[in-house]
Amino acid sequence: MFTRVLLIAAAALLPLAMGAAPASASFLCNTPDCVLPTSTTTTTPGTSSTSLRSQSATRFSIGLQIDLQTGQPQLVAAIRHTVTLPHNQVYGGQGDITMPINLAQPLQMPTIRALGIAGERDVMALLGGGVVLGSFLPLASAALQVPYATAGANYVYGRGFEPYAGVNSFARAVAPRVITTGSAGTSTTTSSCPTGFTLTNVASLVFPVGASVTNRAGKTCLGAT
C-alpha cells in the first residue's frame, strides 16, 4: 500500500519537475543582475642604476699635414687603438706612415712612426719614434691630437726638428661604456564591483553568466538577491 502511494506521488510530481528544469537552464545572468567588474591596474616602477666601464676602440685615419719649415704637404695614413677609462682618461697607441707630396719629384721616401697615447677624450699627447725609410735616419716625435686635427714635431737625427700641423679623420676618443643594472617594474590588476554587488567566480554559480559581464579572470559582479 505504501509503495503504491509513493508511485502515485512520483507520477504526479514528474510533470512539474520536467517543466521546471528548462526554465532554470534558460536563465542567463546579464545586466542588471550581473555587471562587468571594474579592472584597475597598478604599476610599480622598477629600480635601476648605471655605472661606467672602460671601453676600447680601433680607428683608421687618412689625413693631410704641412711641414711648417718647407711648406711641403704630406699624406698621412694611421691606425689608432685607444682605451677610455670610466673618468674619460685615455691611453693607447698609434702607428702611422707619412708620404711627402712633391709633383716635381714624385719618388719620395715615407716616414713610419710608432707612438704612445695618453690624455683624455678631446686632447691626447703622442710620444714615440720612427725612421725615415731610404736614408734610415731615426727620429723622435712628440705631438698633440684633438678631434680632426694634430700638430707636433719630429726630431730627425742629422736633420734636426721638423714641425708640422695637419688635419685627419680621428674624432674624439670613444666614450666609456655605460652599464645599467636593476629590476623591471611590476603590474598588478584588481577587480572591483559597484555598491550592492559581490565579486563572484562565474564557475561557482549554478546558472550561466553572459560573456559581456564576465572579465578575463572569470569573475562577474553578482547583484544582491
Side-chain angles (χ1 to χ4, degrees):
M1 182 68 178
F2 180 72
T3 302
R4 183 179 296 177
V5 172
L6 288 178
L7 290 174
I8 293 171
L13 292 174
L14 182 60
L16 295 175
M18 293 178 65
S24 175
S26 65
F27 175 73
L28 180 65
C29 190
N30 263 316
T31 306
D33 301 306
C34 293
V35 298
L36 184 67
T38 300
S39 297
T40 303
T41 300
T42 302
T43 301
T44 302
T47 59
S48 64
S49 61
T50 59
S51 59
L52 299 177
R53 298 288 186 274
S54 298
Q55 181 160 232
S56 62
T58 300
R59 299 286 185 266
F60 298 90
S61 168
I62 295 293
L64 185 67
Q65 66 188 32
I66 301 295
D67 186 314
L68 298 180
Q69 282 186 334
T70 64
Q72 185 179 46
Q74 301 168 336
L75 184 67
V76 184
I79 180 173
R80 181 179 81 181
H81 179 79
T82 58
V83 178
T84 304
L85 301 177
H87 296 290
N88 288 324
Q89 300 97 334
V90 176
Y91 69 91
Q94 175 176 313
D96 58 37
I97 180 168
T98 303
M99 176 66 71
I101 300 174
N102 190 331
L103 298 180
Q105 297 179 350
L107 185 59
Q108 298 288 323
M109 291 295 105
T111 298
I112 58 173
R113 302 184 304 173
L115 306 168
I117 297 174
E120 50 98 20
R121 292 183 63 201
D122 289 306
V123 181
M124 290 173 282
L126 290 76
L127 187 66
V131 63
V132 180
L133 296 182
S135 63
F136 294 100
L137 294 175
L139 63 88
S141 182
L144 288 177
Q145 171 74 42
V146 297
Y148 307 111
T150 186
N154 295 323
Y155 179 80
V156 182
Y157 180 77
R159 294 194 333 212
F161 284 99
E162 298 179 357
Y164 63 87
V167 294
N168 53 46
S169 57
F170 282 136
R172 67 191 309 215
V174 65
R177 188 159 47 103
V178 179
I179 304 297
T180 302
T181 57
S183 59
T186 58
S187 296
T188 303
T189 300
T190 58
S191 300
S192 60
C193 293
T195 303
F197 288 81
T198 303
L199 188 65
T200 306
N201 284 320
V202 171
S204 68
L205 299 175
V206 296
F207 48 81
V209 178
S212 63
V213 292
T214 303
N215 65 11
R216 293 183 178 180
K219 296 181 183 294
T220 189
C221 291
L222 183 63
T225 56

